[in-house]
Amino acid sequence: QGIGRPSVYHAVVVIFLEFFAWGLLTTPMLTVLHETFSHHTFLMNGLIQGVKGFLSFLSAPLIGALSDAWGRKSFLLLTVFFTCAPIPLMRISPWWYFAMISVSGIFSVTFSVIFAYVADVTQEHERITAYGLVSATFAASLVTSPAIGAYLSASYGDNLVVLVATLVAVVDICFILLAVPESLPEKMRPSSWGASISWEQADPFASLKKVRKDSTVLLICITVFLSYLPEAGQYSSFFLYLRQIIGFGSASIAAFIAVVGILSIIAQTVFLSILMRSIGNKNTVLLGLGFQILQLAWYGFGSQSWMMWAAGAVAAMSSVTFPAISALVSRNADSDQQGVVQGIITGIRGLCNGLGPALYGFIFFLFHVELNELPPDQTSGKKAMQDPTIIPGPPFLVGACIVLLAFLVALFIPEHSKASSTRKHSNSISSTLSNNLDRSSEEDIEPLLQDSSV
């Protein structure tokens, strides 16, 4: 089933359509959020995103493990359908809309399945470029969609925007059903459903215990957690922050997203490949973290609109971090464990999607930054910055300190893990000797990176 052989381009289209639909809703979301929660807007936004993120954390390893056994296509369909299910409810019932957003976190792990799909259809040396393409597509989906959504909202009202976003989501679902072929080879699937699924493997907390036993993956996971925690908080509140504190209008916000998105695409396609070849995988991660620290510090101290634009350019360069980390993990994972490993990383990101918005919302609340009145569209931040009691920067400065810790942890990640060398060595000897070696060194197995054929 599907059109042609499974390829990275199938994954790219799925990601593009899903996030294009949500990008259209950027402006209506700000309005509905303010109308529904007129008091403590940042705090309530953080709580809603927090519940969604925590549910993603709980479900990501299970969905990743199931996709390793039953195939990727069905889980792509499942995740995209339920992630986009809240869209039509925005204008029908805002309360049901926010409730469904929270619950949809169970299935908001499309990236986990997509990265496993990409790993199925690419060779190891092609994977970093493929991951960069997927991440760049995510950025590309947000280049024009907020601007289109803002224009349609201003000209025809929010109802039309919600309708268009719903239709894009339906097109994405139909594309998966009709055009996306299964990427997991039949021979890699179990003879009976659930035969190869361990509940310990699917339990996120059990997975974290496994991570603890593997020094390389432990360092990578800590790095992901510390770097994505402030990023998740920033994503959840930044557009509100630009409008309320800096004074961006809808057009300015859409233009900001477009410019940063274009720069992110260039960073994740052109610069990522160059950096990987010239300075290596680990140093690319470190460079991305360095840009992220600079970006957050700039957001924290910035009080003028031009400072936000400059920091946005730095933010685009920091986008190379996650595809570089994903490639680092994928390069050392077995072909039948790609979904599990990517599920753990995505689960950690899901946990950050819960904790990050809550952290930022709480810090905004502590410093009395409230969306008490939605300001009219304006091109300058002078009006918004007149209140001297508002201290806009602390959440971003706290985030910069957290990413600095991630940078220090990443320094200890080995460029070439022990498991990678073990796998190369094991492939050169007979299976009998391999089995004997496996029995004699059972206590030293690194559970996530060890080749299952050894």
Side-chain angles (χ1 to χ4, degrees):
Q1 295 181 351
I3 298 176
R5 298 172 59 86
S7 68
V8 177
Y9 300 105
H10 290 99
V12 161
V13 173
V14 171
I15 284 293
F16 180 85
L17 291 175
E18 177 180 341
F19 288 97
F20 186 88
W22 278 106
L24 289 170
L25 300 177
T26 301
T27 299
M29 170 79 91
L30 298 178
T31 305
V32 172
L33 190 62
H34 170 60
E35 291 174 351
T36 309
F37 307 107
S38 55
H39 301 290
H40 308 311
T41 310
F42 284 103
L43 184 62
M44 291 304 299
N45 179 55
L47 292 176
I48 292 169
Q49 298 297 330
V51 173
K52 177 182 179 181
F54 187 71
L55 292 176
S56 297
F57 163 72
L58 294 178
S59 65
L62 174 61
I63 291 179
L66 290 174
S67 75
D68 283 334
W70 300 345
R72 317 294 185 198
K73 179 172 180 173
S74 56
F75 286 95
L76 279 178
L77 183 63
L78 191 70
T79 55
V80 171
F81 176 81
F82 283 102
T83 300
C84 295
I87 291 177
L89 296 175
M90 176 179 280
R91 302 309 299 174
I92 298 174
S93 172
W95 284 98
W96 275 107
Y97 167 70
F98 287 114
M100 279 295 294
I101 282 182
S102 300
V103 176
S104 71
I106 298 174
F107 301 98
S108 297
V109 291
T110 308
F111 267 106
S112 173
V113 186
I114 283 291
F115 279 157
Y117 189 99
V118 169
D120 293 340
V121 300
T122 56
Q123 299 296 322
E124 185 176 299
H125 66 278
E126 303 171 331
R127 211 159 284 161
I128 180 61
T129 303
Y131 284 159
L133 182 60
V134 171
S135 297
T137 301
F138 164 69
S141 67
L142 299 178
V143 168
T144 56
S145 54
I148 294 173
Y151 171 76
L152 293 176
S153 177
S155 302
Y156 305 102
D158 289 347
N159 289 338
L160 180 63
V161 182
V162 174
L163 176 61
V164 173
T166 303
L167 292 177
V168 172
V170 171
V171 169
D172 196 11
I173 293 169
C174 293
F175 178 79
I176 296 173
L177 278 172
L178 303 176
V180 175
E182 177 57 59
S183 65
L184 192 68
E186 190 73 31
K187 62 182 180 181
M188 293 179 60
R189 302 182 211 172
S191 55
S192 61
W193 277 37
S196 65
I197 299 298
S198 161
W199 290 110
E200 180 184 3
Q201 180 186 47
D203 178 3
F205 299 101
S207 299
L208 293 180
K209 292 177 184 176
K210 290 181 180 181
V211 167
R212 189 177 59 189
K213 299 177 183 177
D214 188 314
S215 58
T216 300
V217 175
L218 176 61
L219 291 172
I220 292 174
C221 288
I222 293 174
T223 302
V224 170
F225 179 81
L226 292 175
S227 63
Y228 196 69
L229 182 66
E231 187 175 338
Q234 173 187 321
Y235 283 156
S236 70
S237 58
F238 192 61
F239 300 141
L240 282 172
Y241 173 80
L242 286 178
R243 170 171 280 192
Q244 173 73 2
I245 309 305
I246 306 301
F248 275 42
S250 297
S252 299
I253 290 175
F256 182 90
I257 296 172
V259 171
V260 174
I262 292 172
L263 293 177
S264 297
I265 294 170
I266 297 172
Q268 295 178 56
T269 52
V270 179
F271 288 109
L272 180 61
S273 299
I274 295 174
L275 290 172
M276 290 293 292
R277 288 195 301 267
S278 58
I279 64 176
N281 202 326
K282 175 184 173 180
N283 290 330
T284 302
V285 173
L286 293 174
L287 185 64
L289 293 174
F291 277 116
Q292 188 179 358
I293 294 170
L294 178 59
Q295 160 220 335
L296 288 169
W298 210 332
Y299 282 149
F301 289 112
S303 59
Q304 302 296 325
S305 58
W306 71 267
M307 297 179 179
M308 299 297 106
W309 285 97
V314 177
M317 282 304 300
S318 71
S319 65
V320 302
T321 305
F322 185 64
I325 288 179
S326 297
L328 190 63
V329 174
S330 176
R331 189 178 61 187
N332 297 290
D334 303 330
S335 58
D336 62 344
Q337 293 290 304
Q338 293 290 334
V340 174
V341 176
Q342 297 295 346
I344 292 172
I345 297 297
T346 304
I348 291 175
R349 284 166 61 93
L351 183 61
C352 292
N353 282 330
L355 298 177
L359 175 65
Y360 270 50
F362 181 66
I363 296 176
F364 276 125
F365 175 73
L366 285 180
F367 286 86
H368 308 291
V369 180
E370 289 295 338
L371 195 63
N372 294 322
E373 182 180 355
L374 202 66
D377 285 359
Q378 46 196 350
T379 57
S380 136
K382 293 179 181 178
K383 181 179 177 182
M385 293 301 297
Q386 283 177 352
D387 188 351
T389 62
I390 293 178
I391 305 175
F396 303 102
L397 297 179
V398 170
C401 295
I402 295 174
V403 178
L404 179 60
L405 293 177
F407 183 90
L408 296 176
V409 172
L411 288 173
F412 296 95
I413 298 176
E415 179 72 33
H416 303 287
S417 72
K418 182 174 71 175
S420 178
S421 8
T422 300
R423 180 162 65 251
K424 291 178 182 178
H425 174 69
S426 301
N427 288 339
S428 64
I429 60 177
S430 68
S431 58
T432 303
L433 291 176
S434 298
N435 290 331
N436 290 337
L437 176 63
D438 187 32
R439 287 194 296 269
S440 64
S441 59
E442 184 175 356
E443 295 181 356
D444 297 328
I445 289 178
E446 295 184 352
L448 291 180
L449 300 184
Q450 184 72 21
D451 194 329
S452 61
S453 66
V454 176

